Structure formats: structure tokens, C-alpha cells
């Protein structure tokens, strides 16, 4: 059971991170496993459980976070990496007037992107 809970946490964190980095809103188990390295049974069980808890939505062979899943993914990501990040989010800048400082912001601050 502990491994299943760990796998679910890792999937939510990874999907939240991938979404914020514009690597995909809908991802396949294969895409997740490029980072997570779960065995197939563990991945399938965790994804099934996350869908059942309405944190993910399945669409064919891919999965995407629900609004609730985004909130849970963000919370777990921040719990896991807050000591490394040193501020509320690596996805936001330090300008209090920027839209990324809004509590409901869930993307990547455009001021942090490299200039083209």
C-alpha cells in the first residue's frame, strides 16, 4: 500500500510539474515513466486509483489532471520541494504585482522564460 501511495504522489507531482513546464497537459504512462521509472503494474494501479479519486481524467491512452488534481499536485510538489525552492514556487517570480503572484496561478511566469 505504501508503494501505491508513493506512486500516486509522484504521478501527481510529475504531472503538475510537466503542466507548469508546458511539457503536456495530457500525458501517457510512457511519458510519465521517462521520469518516474515505475513498473507497469504499479503505474496502472496508481493511475486507476487517481482516476477513481477524480484527480485525473482518462482520455484514450492519456491522462490529465482535473482541477482538484492540479490543486493536489501543486500541494504535493510544494511539500516535496519547498526546502529546495526557497520561495513559494519555482514557477513564479518575486514581483508582487505580477499575475503569477496570484494564489490561483498554476502556470509558468512569463518573466522567468528566456528571451527569444
Amino acid at each position: 500500500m505504501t508503494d501505491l501511495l508513493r506512486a500516486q504522489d509522484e504521478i501527481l507531482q510529475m504531472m503538475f510539474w510537466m503542466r507548469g513546464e508546458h511539457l503536456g497537459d495530457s500525458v501517457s504512462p510512457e511519458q510519465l515513466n521517462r521520469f518516474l521509472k515505475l513498473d507497469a503494474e504499479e503505474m496502472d494501479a496508481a493511475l486507476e486509483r487517481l482516476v477513481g479519486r477524480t484527480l485525473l481524467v482518462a482520455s484514450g491512452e492519456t491522462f490529465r489532471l482535473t482541477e482538484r488534481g492540479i490543486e493536489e499536485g501543486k500541494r504535493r510538489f510544494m511539500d516535496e520541494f519547498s526546502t529546495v525552492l526557497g520561495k513559494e514556487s519555482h514557477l513564479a517570480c518575486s514581483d508582487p504585482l505580477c499575475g503569477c503572484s496570484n494564489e490561483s496561478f498554476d502556470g509558468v511566469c512569463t518573466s522567468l522564460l528566456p528571451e527569444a
Side-chain angles (χ1 to χ4, degrees):
M1 182 62 133
T2 303
D3 287 340
L4 182 58
L5 292 175
R6 179 189 50 78
Q8 291 175 76
D9 281 352
E10 289 180 355
I11 289 169
L12 288 172
Q13 289 176 43
M14 183 56 60
M15 289 183 71
F16 174 77
W17 176 81
M18 291 174 78
R19 185 175 183 273
E21 295 294 326
H22 302 287
L23 297 175
D25 286 335
S26 289
V27 297
S28 68
E30 293 78 20
Q31 290 170 309
L32 287 169
N33 246 354
R34 288 181 188 151
F35 300 99
L36 299 179
K37 307 295 185 208
L38 301 172
D39 66 46
E41 290 176 14
E42 198 174 25
M43 176 67 77
D44 291 343
L47 290 170
E48 183 179 319
R49 185 124 186 225
L50 291 167
V51 168
R53 294 177 55 210
T54 67
L55 296 170
L56 298 181
V57 172
S59 177
E61 299 293 317
T62 62
F63 297 84
R64 72 177 164 75
L65 293 166
T66 62
E67 288 301 315
R68 213 173 124 230
I70 292 168
E71 291 172 20
E72 286 296 314
K74 180 178 182 178
R75 184 182 63 77
R76 285 175 169 80
F77 183 87
M78 296 309 299
D79 286 350
E80 184 76 23
F81 296 103
S82 63
T83 58
V84 178
L85 298 173
K87 60 180 182 175
E88 185 176 329
S89 173
H90 81 297
L91 306 173
C93 70
S94 58
D95 180 0
L97 300 177
C98 183
C100 70
S101 296
N102 184 325
E103 199 171 290
S104 64
F105 177 77
D106 62 0
V108 176
C109 177
T110 56
S111 70
L112 297 176
L113 297 175
E115 293 185 32

